[in-house]
């Protein structure tokens, strides 16, 4: 009988170990398969200038499979802009906040991984108590006595990941950290592109200021000429009034230019982490011609956009969450053990006879909860489907933004060619009217009309140049800047151990 009992215990222990090993390899939840990329058969973007070879203007770079790399803003060959971008990378507070969000996501991975390991706790205590002496019918021993208890307990508790629930939680946290990393890259690209756009807006305002200053100077001379003619009796006063009105209007417009320039300058100060009161950008009127942008081929676009990468990693995170939902249906098995030392006197606390211990597994399984787990699982599945739709929408939007930016740059460049001819024609018109006015053929109002036409055409040309540069920046941004999917951190990199210095409170 004794032999059989020992054999039974041995078989039972082996069965438990075997079951533990078997269940430890279980994994519940659907396997994740990244969504198939959109079928793209076009060798080039629809709005690419390679499809408009017969038209003048802006052209994309060749070869078509080239990509922008690294510090993409350097293609504009503006040293001042390059210096501002370097400041932005270091001092932009929005980027710092995004980086700390990424570090927060990495800490969440460590929290999830901590569930792999047992929990060990100690609770040393000392207690002195006195029981009532009037407990005549009590089962308590030694009533009316004073007792002392020294205790040094140690407890260990571990919940094995039999069903892969913890593994899914870790995967979910790792994917969330990748989403945060991609969001950081997207935020970086957004801030960098915004800085470039503000910079060219300022240069456009500088050029507009120069145009209006030249107009004011010309109008001042026209007023002096009409006033002189009126003073000597060969002109009429209405010409003087018209010239003065035109001059004052031009002066008002010239003053107003400073408003937008100041606001763009203040906005750049914030982007580079500077106090607007201590920041300024030198005046430099320029008309820019955008460089040729290497666009690559359409099939590469999804791999070049950080927002597409973030959307796909969000989908992977949602898939892991479904696995967590499946894990809730299975029992939770906890292995626990406890022990320690207890004694009425400290002198005997560490004697061998003071030891105590207990050990044993426990199983917890919800039998009925009104369909809560099933509803949660359906919620997770619906979230996955929504994330899949969002991913596909993000890809479609990416192509829309590239095509929009390419059509803008192409059309603006063609419009600039025509507008430049319009400015030349307006200048010729003004020169002819001045000759006719001085010869007495036409009234001064014709000169004012020609001056207004020239000014409007010059302002329009300047605006078109700025819009073309902004569209070029938007194209670079739509193409993902110099980023591609290979630069996204891997789950292993997000889970790498960090140091306490990485989370030091900033002053």
């Amino acid at each position: 009988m004794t032999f059989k009992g020992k054999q039974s215990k041995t078989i039972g222990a082996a069965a438990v170990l075997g079951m533990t090993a078997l269940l430890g390899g279980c994994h519940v939840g659907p396997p994740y398969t990244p969504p198939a990329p959109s079928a793209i058969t076009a060798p080039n973007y629809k709005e690419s200038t390679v499809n408009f070879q017969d038209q003048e203007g802006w052209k994309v770079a060749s070869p078509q499979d080239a990509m922008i790399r690294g510090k993409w803003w350097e293609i504009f060959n503006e040293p001042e802009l390059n210096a501002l971008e370097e400041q932005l990378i270091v001092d932009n507070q929005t980027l710092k906040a995004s980086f700390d969000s990424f570090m927060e996501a990495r800490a969440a991975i460590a929290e999830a991984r901590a569930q792999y390991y047992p929990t060990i706790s100690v609770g040393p205590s000392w207690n002195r108590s006195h029981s009532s002496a009037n407990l005549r019918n009590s089962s308590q021993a030694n009533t009316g006595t004073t007792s002392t208890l020294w205790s040094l307990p140690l407890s260990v508790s571990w919940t094995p990941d039999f069903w892969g629930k913890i593994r899914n939680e870790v995967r979910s946290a790792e994917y969330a950290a990748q989403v945060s990393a991609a969001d950081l890259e997207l935020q970086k690209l957004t801030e960098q592109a915004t800085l470039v756009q503000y910079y060219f807006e300022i240069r456009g305002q500088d050029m507009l200021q120069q145009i209006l200053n030249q107009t004011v100077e010309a109008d001042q001379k026209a007023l002096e000429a009409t006033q002189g003619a009126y003073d000597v009796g060969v002109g009429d006063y209405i010409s003087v009034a018209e010239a003065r009105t035109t001059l004052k209007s031009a002066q008002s417009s010239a003053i107003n230019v400073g408003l937008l320039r100041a606001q763009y300058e203040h906005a750049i100060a914030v982007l580079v982490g500077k106090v607007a009161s201590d920041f300024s950008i030198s005046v430099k009127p320029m008309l820019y011609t955008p460089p040729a942008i290497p666009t690559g081929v359409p099939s590469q676009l999804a791999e070049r956009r950080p927002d597409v990468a973030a959307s796909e990693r969000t989908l992977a995170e949602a898939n892991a969450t479904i696995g967590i939902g499946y894990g809730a249906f299975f029992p939770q098995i906890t292995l626990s053990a406890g022990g320690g030392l207890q004694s009425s006197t400290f002198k005997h606390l560490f004697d061998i006879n003071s030891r105590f211990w207990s050990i044993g597994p426990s199983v917890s399984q919800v039998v009925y909860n009104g369909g809560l787990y099933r509803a949660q699982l359906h919620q997770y599945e619906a979230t996955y489907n929504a994330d899949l739709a969002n991913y596909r929408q993000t890809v479609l939007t990416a192509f829309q933004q590239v095509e929009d930016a390419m059509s803008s740059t192409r059309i603006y460049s063609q419009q600039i060619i025509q507008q430049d001819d319009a400015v030349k024609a307006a200048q010729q018109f003004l020169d002819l009217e001045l000759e006719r006015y001085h010869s007495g053929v036409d009234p001064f109002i014709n000169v004012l009309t020609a001056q207004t036409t020239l000014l409007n055409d010059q302002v329009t040309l300047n605006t078109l140049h700025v819009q073309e540069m902004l569209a070029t920046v938007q194209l670079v941004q739509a193409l993902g800047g110099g980023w591609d999917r290979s630069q996204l951190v891997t789950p292993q990199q997000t889970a790498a151990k960090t140091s306490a210095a990485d989370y030091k409170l900033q002053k």
Side-chain angles (χ1 to χ4, degrees):
M1 294 294 293
T2 302
F3 175 79
K4 289 182 179 178
K6 290 182 178 179
Q7 184 183 45
S8 176
K9 291 180 180 179
T10 302
I11 294 173
V16 171
L17 291 174
M19 183 63 69
T20 300
L22 175 64
L23 296 179
C26 292
H27 176 71
V28 296
Y32 177 67
T33 302
S38 303
I40 305 168
T41 58
N44 298 292
Y45 292 102
K46 176 183 176 182
E47 297 292 342
S48 172
T49 54
V50 299
N51 296 324
F52 298 88
Q53 296 288 354
D54 58 333
Q55 297 182 5
E56 295 183 280
W58 183 86
K59 301 293 183 182
V60 298
S62 295
Q64 282 294 291
D65 60 353
M67 288 178 61
I68 302 171
R69 298 290 183 184
K71 300 177 180 180
W72 56 267
W73 53 87
E74 293 181 349
I75 62 176
F76 297 111
N77 197 27
E78 276 290 301
E80 187 175 9
L81 175 61
N82 297 342
L84 290 171
E85 287 287 359
E86 295 296 335
Q87 292 180 42
L88 180 145
I89 294 173
V90 175
D91 296 323
N92 184 274
Q93 299 303 309
T94 302
L95 292 185
K96 290 184 178 181
S98 295
F99 175 77
D100 285 322
S101 295
F102 170 60
M103 295 303 294
E104 179 183 353
R106 293 188 64 185
I109 299 174
E111 293 177 18
R113 291 175 65 88
Q115 300 177 83
Y116 284 139
Y117 306 99
T119 300
I120 303 174
S121 60
V122 295
S125 64
W126 174 83
N127 178 265
R128 184 169 177 81
S129 62
H130 179 81
S131 62
S132 173
N134 291 325
L135 302 176
R136 304 302 181 188
N137 298 320
S138 173
S139 60
Q140 179 177 330
N142 300 322
T143 59
T145 61
T146 300
S147 62
T148 301
L149 178 64
W150 293 85
S151 180
L152 186 62
L154 173 69
S155 62
V156 180
S157 178
W158 179 47
T159 302
D161 188 25
F162 287 149
W163 320 111
K165 181 174 180 292
I166 298 176
R167 276 168 286 168
N168 279 317
E169 291 178 355
V170 172
R171 288 191 183 96
S172 178
E174 290 174 345
Y175 296 149
Q178 286 188 291
V179 173
S180 182
D183 287 341
L184 172 59
E185 294 300 326
L186 178 61
Q187 189 64 53
K188 187 184 299 182
L189 176 59
T190 301
E191 298 293 303
Q192 292 168 342
T194 300
L195 173 57
V196 178
Q197 289 180 318
Y198 287 165
Y199 181 84
F200 287 123
E201 288 278 15
I202 285 180
R203 292 295 169 243
Q205 292 298 303
D206 290 344
M207 191 65 198
L208 179 58
Q209 187 74 68
Q210 178 176 285
I211 292 171
L212 289 172
N213 289 344
Q214 292 171 348
T215 301
V216 168
E217 183 179 351
D219 290 346
Q220 182 66 47
K221 291 180 179 178
L223 175 60
E224 293 171 355
T226 55
Q227 183 70 52
Y230 175 73
D231 291 341
V232 299
V234 296
D236 51 23
Y237 187 75
I238 191 172
S239 297
V240 176
E242 290 169 344
R244 182 178 292 110
T245 300
T246 302
L247 172 62
K248 293 302 179 182
S249 177
Q251 288 175 333
S252 175
S253 298
I255 293 173
N256 183 260
V257 173
L259 176 61
L260 278 179
R261 191 191 194 282
Q263 292 175 345
Y264 288 131
E265 190 175 68
H266 303 159
I268 290 179
V270 174
L271 287 173
V272 298
K274 304 296 182 182
V275 177
S277 301
D278 298 329
F279 180 82
S280 62
I281 293 179
S282 60
V283 175
K284 187 167 64 174
M286 290 190 69
L287 287 179
Y288 289 91
T289 300
I293 304 298
T295 61
V297 295
S299 59
Q300 297 173 326
L301 183 60
E303 297 296 314
R304 298 174 60 176
R305 298 260 303 207
D307 57 339
V308 174
S311 184
E312 186 275 326
R313 290 291 84 188
T314 299
L315 189 62
E317 180 186 357
N319 185 81
T321 304
I322 294 175
I324 298 173
Y326 274 110
F329 289 97
F330 295 87
Q332 179 173 301
I333 301 174
T334 302
L335 306 179
S336 58
L341 301 169
Q342 283 183 338
S343 175
S344 295
T345 61
F346 183 77
K347 180 175 66 173
H348 296 292
L349 178 61
F350 297 98
D351 293 352
I352 190 169
N353 290 331
S354 297
R355 72 188 186 278
F356 69 93
W357 60 269
S358 66
I359 187 170
S362 64
V363 179
S364 175
Q365 173 64 54
V366 174
V367 178
Y368 178 74
N369 61 5
L372 173 63
Y373 291 161
R374 178 64 59 185
Q376 288 176 335
L377 180 60
H378 289 166
Q379 175 188 352
Y380 300 152
E381 291 170 339
T383 299
Y384 177 89
N385 291 335
D387 288 338
L388 177 59
N390 289 335
Y391 167 78
R392 291 170 175 165
Q393 182 65 28
T394 302
V395 174
L396 293 176
T397 302
F399 279 97
Q400 176 193 2
Q401 291 174 344
V402 171
E403 296 289 358
D404 285 349
M406 295 192 76
S407 63
S408 296
T409 51
R410 177 176 57 81
I411 293 173
Y412 279 137
S413 67
Q414 296 167 14
Q415 190 177 358
I416 284 173
I417 294 174
Q418 301 301 320
Q419 189 62 33
D420 188 60
D421 291 339
V423 170
K424 293 176 182 177
Q427 183 64 60
Q428 185 179 20
F429 175 37
L430 175 60
D431 293 340
L432 292 173
E433 280 299 338
L434 285 172
E435 291 179 5
R436 292 173 66 85
Y437 168 71
H438 290 308
S439 63
V441 176
D442 287 343
F444 186 70
I445 187 65
N446 289 15
V447 175
L448 295 182
T449 300
Q451 287 178 327
T452 302
T453 300
L454 175 61
L455 174 60
N456 291 338
D457 285 341
Q458 288 175 325
V459 171
T460 300
L461 178 61
N462 180 65
T463 300
L464 288 174
H465 275 288
V466 173
Q467 292 300 319
E468 184 185 29
M469 292 303 297
L470 298 185
T472 303
V473 177
Q474 291 167 357
L475 175 58
V476 174
Q477 186 176 3
L479 292 169
W483 191 86
D484 65 74
R485 181 61 182 263
S486 66
Q487 299 177 34
L488 182 64
V489 293
T490 64
Q492 293 74 24
Q493 290 172 328
T494 61
K497 186 176 181 180
T498 57
S499 65
D502 295 326
Y503 296 93
K504 182 180 179 180
L505 294 179
Q506 302 297 311
K507 301 295 184 181

